């Protein structure tokens, strides 16, 4: 069982930056692909970005490409989401999730509880 805890959310203004962190209880997080997802009020959960177990391959969604960067430090059991040039439409609860196998998949096995990101205009 992998437990994931997100942190780093907050209230910022449009154009600001935030870095989210996802820390895993599992020492072998390096075996897992990790993804970031978000859900805004009244909307379905949306894929944001994913990273392979090695960190060599990353997959940002078109909506965040060029603004958000996903990375990982397996020595620290941590995955990051660097978010730059934030927009009000980025406001959502952000979740990290982990799965065995390739990062681009419809299902993830383990989920964190989320961290709120609010971007004011």
């Amino acid at each position: 069982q992998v437990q994931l805890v997100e942190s780093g959310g907050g209230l910022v203004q449009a154009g600001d930056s935030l870095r989210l962190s996802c820390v895993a209880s599992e020492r072998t997080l390096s075996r897992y692909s990790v993804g970031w997802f978000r859900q805004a009020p009244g909307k379905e959960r949306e894929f944001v970005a994913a990273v392979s177990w090695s960190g060599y391959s990353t997959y940002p969604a078109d909506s965040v490409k060029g603004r958000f960067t996903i990375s990982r430090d397996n020595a620290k059991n941590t995955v990051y989401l660097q978010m730059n040039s934030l927009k009000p439409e980025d406001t959502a609860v952000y979740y990290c999730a982990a799965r065995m196998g390739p990062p681009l998949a419809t299902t993830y096995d383990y989920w964190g509880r989320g961290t709120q990101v609010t971007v004011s205009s």
Side-chain angles (χ1 to χ4, degrees), residues 55-77:
Y56 291 149
S57 298
T58 62
Y59 306 91
D62 288 342
S63 59
V64 304
K65 197 171 292 184
R67 299 189 299 124
F68 292 10
T69 302
I70 188 171
S71 62
R72 66 190 300 160
D73 184 341
N74 286 335
K76 296 182 178 180
N77 297 320

Side-chain angles (χ1 to χ4, degrees), residues 35-57:
W36 283 96
F37 298 80
R38 66 187 180 186
Q39 188 166 20
K43 294 187 177 181
E44 294 187 353
R45 187 170 60 200
E46 174 189 21
F47 169 77
V48 176
V51 61
S52 63
W53 65 270
S54 66
Y56 291 149
S57 298

